[in-house]
Amino acid sequence: MNEAGEASDATVPAANAPANTPVVSIRGLCKQFGVVRAVEALDLDVMPGELLALLGPSGCGKTTTLRLLAGFEHPDAGTIRLGGEVVSGAETFVAPERRNMGVVFQDFALFPHLTVAQNLGYGVRDRALRAKRVAEMLDLIRLNDAKDRRPFELSGGQQQRVALGRALAPDPALVLLDEPFSNLDAALRMRMRADVRDILKAAGATAVLVTHDQEEALTLADRVAVMNEGRLVQVDVPAELYAHPLDPFVATFVGDADLLPGVSNGTDVETVIGRLRAPGAPQGQVDVVVRPEQVKVWLDGNGIGVVLGIEYFGHDQLVEIGLPDGSRARSRLGSARDLVAGDRVSLAVTGDALAFPAPQRSSESSLTST
Ligand code: ATP
C-alpha cells in the first residue's frame, strides 16, 4: 500500500523465501536531513513471523527507519532487502506500492466514505480473492457485525482493528505500524496491545512497530530494537534487554532505573548507600544501575535518604529518595502509604546490580577487595 493508502501489484512476494531467510535485512542504512543524521549505519534483520518494535526517544530516527523501509524515503547509503531482494540500494529503488507491505498509520487513515468491508477489501487487487479475504479479515478482527458501518460509526479500538485488517488483507510480506496506539486513550491503548499482537500472530504476519513507549514495546514485541540518536544500540528479546542492557541509556530507557555513582573493585561497588554486589563490574569509577523493585526503603530518623516525592498508583507506589551526594534512587513499594515527602529513610538494594564505566568522573578512590 502506498502513502495514500492505495494498493497496487506487488513485486515482492509474500512467502518467496525459506523460513530462515530474514523478511527484512537492513545493512549500513544512512539517512541525513541537512545536518541531522536521522539514521546512521543501521543493521537489522527481521525474521518471518516476528514482531519487532523499534523503540527510542523522540527524534532518535524510528519513523525515518520505518519510512525508509516503506520506500517513502530514499536512503543516502545502505541496502534494504525484502524477502532476499534489494528494494533500496545504490542502484535499486522499488516504489512503495511495489514492496508488498501493509502500513498502519497513526491516525489509521481509513477511508471515511467506505464501509468496514470496503476498507478491508480495498488493497486486495485480485477480484476473485477479495470477498474471501474480506470475510477472513472480518473474522480475524471480530467485526462481522459491523461490516456495513462506516469508520465514524466505530469506536477508536474498532477503527484500529479495521486499519490492521486492511493492512493484512493483501497478505503482505511485512506490516509496518507507526505509533499505532497514539490515537487511543490510556485504558484502550493497554487493551489494544494484546488485541493487535493476537491479530498479527493469528495472521502469521511479520511486523515492525515504531513506538517511544517502552511498556508498549516490551509487552507487544518478540524483539525490541532500541535506537538512540540515529543509531541502533541494542536488539534483543524484552527480558534480555531488561536484564542485560548494553549501556546506561538502554538500562534507563527500557524499564525504570536510576544510576548511582560508585567505585568498583570488579565484584562490589562502594556507593553512597553502601556496598552493592555487582559481579563482573568494570573496575574503577562506575555508575550502578538500580531498579526500583530492587530498592528496599524504611523509615529511619538516622537514615541517609530523604523522601522527595511519591507517585501513587493504587496497586503500588514509586518513592523517590534524595541521597547526600545529590543522586536519587526510586523504590517500588506496596500500596501501604506509610511514607510521606520529607521523611528520613534508610535504603538497601537486593540482588546483584549492573555497573557501567563512568568515564566523565576523573577522581578515583580505592576499594579494597573482599
Ligand atoms: P518521534 O518519536 O518524535 O516521531 P522519531 O524517533 O520517529 O521521533 P524521526 O521522525 O525519525 O524520529 O526523526 C529523526 C530526526 O530527523 C529528527 O531530528 C527529525 O527532526 C529529523 N527529520 C525527520 N524527518 C525530517 C525531514 N523530512 N526533514 C528534516 N528533518 C527531518
Side-chain angles (χ1 to χ4, degrees), residues 120-190:
L120 292 174
Y122 187 85
V124 184
R125 279 284 150 141
D126 185 340
R127 282 171 161 265
L129 256 186
R130 192 175 296 156
K132 178 171 170 282
R133 285 302 285 166
V134 168
E136 285 170 1
M137 289 303 114
L138 284 169
D139 280 346
L140 187 67
I141 64 173
R142 305 185 317 279
L143 279 179
N144 260 308
D145 293 346
K147 67 179 188 322
D148 296 323
R149 286 196 225 156
R150 282 179 290 163
F152 73 88
E153 296 170 300
L154 301 173
S155 70
Q158 289 169 330
Q159 287 180 32
Q160 179 170 60
R161 300 208 308 261
V162 177
L164 190 54
R166 187 180 65 176
L168 288 167
D171 195 17
L174 181 67
V175 179
L176 302 175
L177 301 103
D178 182 11
E179 300 269 7
F181 306 100
S182 57
N183 259 8
L184 306 175
D185 65 51
L188 184 57
R189 201 177 303 164
M190 286 175 72

Side-chain angles (χ1 to χ4, degrees), residues 7 52 61 194 302:
L52 181 125
N302 297 317

Side-chain angles (χ1 to χ4, degrees), residues 33 36 38 57-64 179:
F33 298 107
V36 178
S58 182
C60 74
K62 309 175 295 284
T63 305
T64 304
E179 300 269 7

Side-chain angles (χ1 to χ4, degrees), residues 166-370:
R166 187 180 65 176
L168 288 167
D171 195 17
L174 181 67
V175 179
L176 302 175
L177 301 103
D178 182 11
E179 300 269 7
F181 306 100
S182 57
N183 259 8
L184 306 175
D185 65 51
L188 184 57
R189 201 177 303 164
M190 286 175 72
R191 282 210 307 278
M192 286 310 293
R193 279 181 203 153
D195 235 16
V196 164
R197 184 179 161 85
D198 289 350
I199 291 170
L200 287 167
K201 287 293 169 188
T206 307
V208 175
L209 160 104
V210 157
T211 179
H212 61 271
D213 181 334
Q214 45 105 0
E215 201 176 286
E216 201 167 289
L218 294 179
T219 52
L220 240 160
D222 298 318
R223 280 192 312 151
V224 179
V226 184
M227 291 185 72
N228 191 24
E229 296 179 349
R231 291 187 172 273
L232 202 56
V233 189
Q234 186 171 0
V235 190
D236 219 325
V237 297
E240 275 300 301
L241 265 190
Y242 192 76
H244 300 116
L246 281 183
D247 69 9
F249 169 79
V250 177
T252 51
F253 192 75
V254 179
D256 290 325
D258 296 296
L259 299 176
L260 295 182
V263 181
S264 160
N265 65 3
T267 313
D268 299 291
V269 181
E270 201 64 62
T271 71
V272 67
I273 61 169
R275 187 171 284 210
L276 307 184
R277 273 195 61 75
Q283 300 215 351
Q285 299 277 357
V286 293
D287 283 330
V288 185
V289 177
V290 177
R291 298 219 182 263
E293 60 268 27
Q294 286 184 281
V295 178
K296 302 296 161 215
V297 58
W298 61 95
L299 209 53
D300 179 355
N302 297 317
I304 60 158
V306 175
V307 174
L308 298 176
I310 299 173
E311 264 187 286
Y312 190 70
F313 300 106
H315 45 75
D316 63 7
Q317 56 191 317
L318 207 53
V319 180
E320 187 177 19
I321 303 133
L323 298 167
D325 65 354
S327 56
R328 293 171 180 211
R330 283 167 297 170
S331 171
R332 198 174 292 287
L333 300 182
S335 56
R337 306 196 70 171
D338 42 13
L339 292 175
V340 293
D343 278 347
R344 199 152 266 288
V345 291
S346 279
L347 304 83
V349 171
T350 58
D352 292 344
L354 273 175
F356 296 103
Q360 275 121 352
R361 292 195 300 275
S362 51
S363 64
E364 200 159 311
S365 58
S366 64
L367 175 73
T368 347
S369 233
T370 48

